Structures are given as C-alpha cells and as structure tokens.
Amino acid sequence: MNLYSLFLARFAYTLQKHFRRVHTFVFSTQLVEITEALKARDLPSAFQALSQQAPGWSGGTKIGESLAEFNRLYGRRLLTRDTLLTILSDGWDTGEPEVLVRELKSIRQRVRKLIWLNPLLGLAEYQPVTRGMSAALPYIDVFAPAHNLASLLALERHLSQVAYHGGKEQRSYDQNL
C-alpha cells in the first residue's frame, strides 16, 4: 500500500473537503482517526499533520484487529443504515481471517453499503486470493480498483446507485475500470 498511500491520502483529503459528514481513519498495525488532520487549510499542511499522526506505517496490516477497534470505539456512533463505509486497502492482512470476517459481518449488518477499494485490482494479473481479501469478499457490496483517478471517479456510479435504486443494493466486482 505504500506506493498508493500518498494518492489515497489526497483522495481522502478531497472527500473531506467536499462532504460534510466524512470521518477518516488509517490503519496498519493500529487504528488512527485522521479526520482532524485532513481538515487542514491546504494539502501540504494536511500531510504534515498526518506524518505526526500515523504510527506503525509499513509495519504490516492487521485489518481485522483494526476494524474490531473501529467497531468498539466508533461503530455505535458512526455506523447507521445511511452509512456508506469505504475501505481503501490492498487486503494483505497479517491477522487471522476469522477476525476480519467477524468484524466485516458486524459492519455489513449496520451500514447501507460496504465499499472496498483495492489499488491492486487495477493490475491485469491481480486475483483477490490472499487470506484476508478472499475472506472479506462475501461481505463487500462493491469491490473496485483504486489505482488511478479514473478508478476513483468511477466510484460515483456506485454511490449514486443507492439514491437511484431506492436503497436496493447490488454486489459489484469492477476489475476493469
């Protein structure tokens, strides 16, 4: 994920600038809320604040444990049937898949849509076969690439489906965006 981290941090910064109720978290070996850092007046200031706030970067990823912490600390306050929860991750999890499944199942029951953006999904040869990613797939409504601007712009189609289809969700696997 390091290759994509700067690109995805810019994406999160832009989302927070344009939407009123966005909460942003990063996780590697632990969960860190970065919502306030992304409220900085400009992108360089936001990156400076982020550099002080994200411990454990490049230390491996424990997605299930991070989601457990998120559910415990923030889930009741932030997750509702109106929530569109987006995870930006390559799915390489060093934790146990059972923990990831348990936490995603809990999240999926409480939110409107669970979107997983994976930068590796933009690679022609990529297959979601790691233990974490393959365990997560059954709980994901939209599994889409996040490797370039075009792939992130395509996300609009998935977000607008909620409004146009009366809340009826459809699972989507978009490898070729």
Side-chain angles (χ1 to χ4, degrees):
M1 281 294 295
N2 280 344
L3 176 64
Y4 296 99
S5 297
L6 184 61
F7 173 69
L8 296 174
R10 289 179 113 153
F11 176 65
Y13 175 80
T14 302
L15 282 177
Q16 270 199 219
K17 289 293 182 194
H18 294 301
F19 295 98
R20 191 169 48 92
R21 292 177 34 188
V22 173
H23 296 271
T24 307
F25 299 82
V26 295
F27 58 87
S28 54
T29 57
Q30 59 185 339
L31 182 76
V32 178
E33 183 172 10
I34 60 168
T35 303
E36 289 303 314
L38 294 179
K39 289 181 180 177
R41 71 184 181 286
D42 56 43
L43 193 57
S45 298
F47 284 160
Q48 177 61 34
L50 285 175
S51 71
Q52 305 299 316
Q53 199 174 359
W57 207 254
S58 300
T61 307
K62 295 191 174 194
I63 303 171
E65 287 83 351
S66 294
L67 291 177
E69 186 177 357
F70 173 82
N71 281 333
R72 189 178 74 255
L73 298 175
Y74 305 99
R76 287 194 177 140
R77 182 171 55 93
L78 298 180
L79 300 180
T80 70
R81 293 302 300 158
D82 292 329
T83 301
L84 301 177
L85 188 123
T86 303
I87 296 173
L88 296 119
S89 172
D90 59 13
W92 285 85
D93 189 7
T94 60
E96 293 301 318
E98 297 80 23
V99 175
L100 179 59
V101 165
R102 181 185 68 231
E103 299 307 322
L104 285 175
K105 197 181 285 189
S106 173
I107 288 169
R108 185 62 202 101
Q109 292 171 350
R110 295 158 66 188
V111 300
R112 174 168 281 194
K113 188 174 266 195
L114 178 55
I115 299 168
W116 191 300
L117 301 178
N118 185 326
L120 299 179
L121 194 54
L123 302 173
E125 67 278 1
Y126 174 75
Q127 294 295 316
V129 294
T130 61
R131 290 183 334 151
M133 198 70 256
S134 59
L137 281 173
Y139 305 96
I140 298 169
D141 296 304
V142 175
F143 185 48
H147 63 291
N148 60 23
L149 182 58
S151 65
L152 295 178
L153 291 172
L155 181 61
E156 179 183 10
R157 174 171 49 99
H158 299 296
L159 298 177
S160 65
Q161 282 179 352
V162 173
Y164 295 123
H165 292 99
K168 293 182 181 175
E169 308 307 332
Q170 300 173 341
R171 293 195 185 267
S172 176
Y173 180 80
D174 289 333
Q175 186 165 5
N176 299 316
L177 291 179

